[in-house]
Amino acid sequence: MSIQLNKIALNIRVRLPEHVFERHLPSSPYVIGTELADQVVAYAREHELGYYPALDFFENNGGLDPELLEAVSHTSWFVANLVREEIHRKLRPIFASLNFLSVQTVAFTMPGVRPTQLNAYNELVEHYTPDTVKIGLVVGVFQKRDNDEALTRWARHTAYRWLKNSFEDFEVTSATAV
């Protein structure tokens, strides 16, 4: 029986704890998220939009305070790098290989909130707060047998066990053998 390298794609969503920002950043991501939500809501009302745009829309078309966009970009860069380093530090000794496919701050994705929803403002603040990151990575595991389902469950569980205490919130949103 030969040993082979099996690869599992993991999609992870993490949120950093507030105390990390207090030590490293001049302004709180929660203040940034609240101010972004205020300005986005005002823009959506003024232009009678039935949705809240992603931040890329405002970077290309204006409509938000440029200094606020710079602050969210800087904070997002810091958060993404910190998360990436922590995941690499914790998981690299466990898996045979570790490759990041994507690291994206949720604040730069399209909000799933609509203006007519109940509690829309609070959900928008949470969405635009640059403290949450989505990560796509592929881990490699040496295995004698070819049991993709068991290996995928093991990789999901291992990532959860080694990373859950590093973040405020942690979730493996999907795990798939590749």
Side-chain angles (χ1 to χ4, degrees):
M1 198 177 280
S2 66
I3 296 176
Q4 64 182 19
L5 179 66
N6 294 291
K7 294 188 176 188
I8 295 103
L10 297 173
N11 288 309
I12 298 170
R13 183 180 171 111
V14 303
R15 183 164 43 106
L16 288 177
E18 190 170 350
H19 68 83
V20 170
F21 304 111
E22 294 168 357
R23 291 188 306 215
H24 298 288
L25 293 175
S27 63
S28 164
Y30 309 103
V31 171
I32 293 170
T34 302
E35 186 58 34
L36 279 169
D38 289 343
Q39 290 187 25
V40 169
V41 167
Y43 184 91
R45 279 189 189 138
E46 180 182 329
H47 292 86
E48 298 178 359
L49 300 178
Y51 68 99
Y52 296 119
L55 292 180
D56 290 345
F57 171 85
F58 296 106
E59 287 179 337
N60 297 328
N61 300 308
L64 294 183
D65 178 2
E67 288 181 15
L68 183 60
L69 285 173
E70 187 175 324
V72 72
S73 292
H74 174 74
T75 303
S76 294
W77 176 85
F78 171 79
V79 169
N81 283 324
L82 198 63
V83 166
R84 184 184 170 108
E85 287 173 16
E86 181 68 5
I87 289 172
H88 189 269
R89 186 176 70 78
K90 292 276 181 102
L91 295 186
R92 184 61 191 106
I94 308 303
F95 294 104
S97 65
L98 178 70
N99 296 308
F100 287 87
L101 300 176
S102 63
V103 179
Q104 182 181 31
T105 308
V106 171
F108 281 92
T109 64
M110 184 73 170
V113 181
R114 298 292 175 251
T116 57
Q117 285 179 240
L118 290 175
N119 212 13
Y121 177 77
N122 291 336
E123 289 184 37
L124 202 59
V125 169
E126 184 177 332
H127 176 82
Y128 284 130
T129 299
D131 64 347
T132 304
V133 179
K134 295 183 340 183
I135 301 101
L137 60 123
V138 175
V139 297
V141 180
F142 284 111
Q143 184 74 10
K144 287 184 182 180
R145 286 174 288 201
D146 204 14
N147 184 344
D148 289 347
E149 188 178 321
L151 199 56
T152 300
R153 277 195 316 269
W154 177 83
R156 176 189 286 267
H157 175 74
T158 300
Y160 179 79
R161 188 178 74 210
W162 283 90
L163 293 173
K164 68 178 179 177
N165 294 328
S166 295
F167 303 105
E168 183 75 21
D169 286 327
F170 178 84
E171 177 185 13
V172 179
T173 57
S174 70
T176 311
V178 291

